[in-house]
Amino acid sequence: MVLLARSLAGFKAERIDGFRLQLELPGRSPIIMNLGNIYLEAQQLSGEARVARLRTAVLAMAPPPRPETWDEAAPKLMPAVRSLSWLTAPLGPKPISKPFLPFLRLMCAIDSEYALSYVTDDDLHKWRASDEQAFETASANLGARTVQVGRAGQIAIVMGPDSYTSSWLAVPSKLYRIASDVAPEVVAVAASRDSLVLVDVADAAATLKVLEEELKAYQEAPRQLSPVPYRVTATGVEVWDPPEGHPARSHVEKAQHVLANVEYNQQRVVLDERLTKAGEDVYVASYSLVGLPDGSVWSWAVWVKQVTNGLLPQVDVVVMGDNDHKDDRFAVKWADAIRLAADSLVLESAFDPPRWRYRAWPPAATVAALHSVAVPFPPEI
């Protein structure tokens, strides 16, 4: 990649730690190129396809100048559905974004031949445009494009455009028309940035097959998005909530837990690094999963007695842990922890996904109340 960066785009390229390159062009600030995703994508290709992917990756690091006016920018805008962890990664100026679905945000991209960049507040100020104007224009631009769809029985696969396949989720009117050609009730799964699968929920076998395959695809994808199925309606998309007893219900719940596990723990890595650099001693609790024999999963985190500055994720079960008396550990459901220990757990609005801060072990009376509603852990079926 070093030689390709030098010969193709004239970069001064240098390998640095963390499987990254530092790229420099005269008169520009250094650019950090993360190679992890590119390496995983290139491994899945061969011959000319692999060479083309590497060339595109290098050329994408030297994007054209940003639009100077709204008239120049508007035709280039595209909606970009991305994970929360993508947004919290240290990648320079933060793009404008808004909540979209659990653990997902909607951003606005500036598209070009080899790369995309993201609209920032500075861009909007320069263009004299609003966030909503940018988002509406971006969605209209994608909606005006022709969409190719492959069919396999009660399953439809949306193909393209590159980098924006999953972003059809943000164009509900067009996506609903596509879904209506499949069946009256359809769910969509976007395991990665560049994939979108639709399935007829009336076909239970096809639905289960898609959910299992897309969960595996999500876990292996270089550019993960979400393994959760979303119900497609004429006005938007929402997390699919199959009724009790539906054969896919446990699969949906598992997908939701896996997504939360990935996003919370990527957040933890970023927070640990950020807080350590700031000199703050904070215990950022992991979001952990325990699987049960019936295939379901439960999430849990530990509230440690000896910690005086901790951050808890939202989980199914909180394990109350005393490092000096490990046999005294017990577990409570999240709702009970929030209800009974409200004075000790404070929601921190700065964090997304949300975290609750605690600075001490609850008072004895609160601990006794929590003990009275303790649940088995691991949970019993």
Side-chain angles (χ1 to χ4, degrees):
M1 288 297 286
V2 170
L3 294 177
L4 191 60
R6 291 171 181 167
S7 62
L8 191 61
F11 282 115
K12 177 183 177 183
E14 178 184 359
R15 291 188 180 89
I16 59 176
D17 62 338
F19 200 34
R20 299 180 298 170
L21 293 181
Q22 179 170 293
L23 307 175
E24 295 184 44
L25 285 173
R28 296 193 184 186
S29 300
I31 301 169
I32 303 301
M33 184 178 189
N34 293 296
L35 301 177
N37 286 341
I38 299 162
Y39 173 76
L40 291 173
E41 290 172 345
Q43 274 192 316
Q44 300 170 13
L45 304 172
S46 61
E48 287 299 321
R50 177 179 289 184
V51 172
R53 178 65 190 96
L54 296 177
R55 285 173 54 86
T56 299
V58 170
L59 292 169
M61 301 310 295
R66 301 180 78 79
E68 292 293 327
T69 66
W70 173 250
D71 287 344
E72 183 186 353
K76 300 177 181 179
L77 300 185
M78 293 281 277
V81 178
R82 300 293 184 262
S83 65
L84 283 176
S85 55
W86 188 98
L87 188 63
T88 56
L91 297 174
K94 294 301 179 188
I96 62 169
S97 71
K98 61 181 180 179
F100 185 60
L101 288 162
F103 301 102
L104 302 181
R105 304 282 292 193
L106 179 61
M107 284 167 263
C108 190
I110 306 170
D111 193 40
S112 63
E113 182 179 4
Y114 293 110
L116 60 86
S117 54
Y118 294 91
V119 175
T120 66
D121 284 328
D122 287 345
D123 290 320
L124 294 179
H125 179 74
K126 179 170 60 178
W127 302 338
R128 298 181 181 179
S130 67
D131 290 35
E132 203 53 44
Q133 188 178 3
F135 284 121
E136 288 178 359
T137 301
S139 293
N141 287 345
L142 179 57
R145 294 201 178 191
T146 301
V147 57
Q148 292 185 323
V149 181
R151 291 293 301 270
Q154 299 308 106
I155 300 169
I157 301 172
V158 179
M159 296 178 288
D162 290 346
S163 301
Y164 305 103
T165 306
S166 60
S167 294
W168 287 108
L169 293 170
V171 190
S173 58
K174 185 73 168 278
L175 186 60
Y176 183 69
R177 290 199 296 273
I178 299 169
S180 297
D181 290 336
V182 177
E185 186 175 7
V186 167
V187 294
V189 187
S192 72
R193 183 192 70 178
D194 298 307
S195 69
L196 185 61
V197 179
L198 307 175
V199 61
D200 175 9
V201 298
D203 188 332
T207 301
L208 291 174
K209 181 175 184 289
V210 165
L211 296 187
E212 289 170 355
E213 291 178 347
E214 292 306 299
L215 177 58
K216 185 174 184 292
Y218 169 77
Q219 293 170 318
E220 297 175 351
R223 302 180 191 275
Q224 294 175 308
L225 191 66
S226 169
V228 176
Y230 302 109
R231 180 171 171 265
V232 180
T233 74
T235 56
V237 291
E238 59 191 20
V239 175
W240 182 41
D241 184 23
E244 290 288 346
H246 192 288
R249 188 169 182 85
S250 63
H251 290 71
V252 174
E253 292 175 348
K254 183 176 182 179
Q256 291 172 313
H257 280 84
V258 169
L259 175 60
N261 177 259
V262 168
E263 290 300 311
Y264 261 121
N265 288 324
Q266 290 195 20
Q267 178 200 51
R268 178 180 56 80
V269 170
V270 172
L271 286 178
D272 277 339
E273 181 178 352
R274 191 174 296 166
L275 293 168
T276 298
K277 286 182 179 179
E280 297 183 44
D281 185 13
V282 182
Y283 172 66
V284 184
S286 296
Y287 180 107
S288 300
L289 296 178
V290 59
L292 301 184
D294 67 350
S296 64
V297 294
W298 282 60
S299 59
W300 61 281
V302 181
W303 182 341
V304 183
K305 182 176 183 179
Q306 285 73 22
V307 170
T308 57
N309 191 359
L311 289 168
L312 283 177
Q314 183 172 341
V315 287
D316 295 319
V317 172
V318 178
V319 176
M320 308 297 293
D322 183 344
N323 288 341
D324 295 333
H325 301 89
K326 294 187 177 180
D327 291 340
D328 290 343
R329 288 188 173 190
F330 65 97
V332 296
K333 292 183 178 180
W334 177 259
D336 289 330
I338 292 296
R339 176 174 58 88
L340 297 172
D343 291 340
S344 300
L345 288 175
V346 178
L347 176 62
E348 292 279 3
S349 60
F351 301 126
D352 191 8
R355 292 262 176 182
W356 279 256
R357 192 182 297 273
Y358 65 91
R359 296 189 181 275
W361 194 242
T366 301
V367 174
L370 291 169
H371 252 300
S372 71
V373 294
V375 296
F377 189 80
E380 295 178 347
I381 298 176

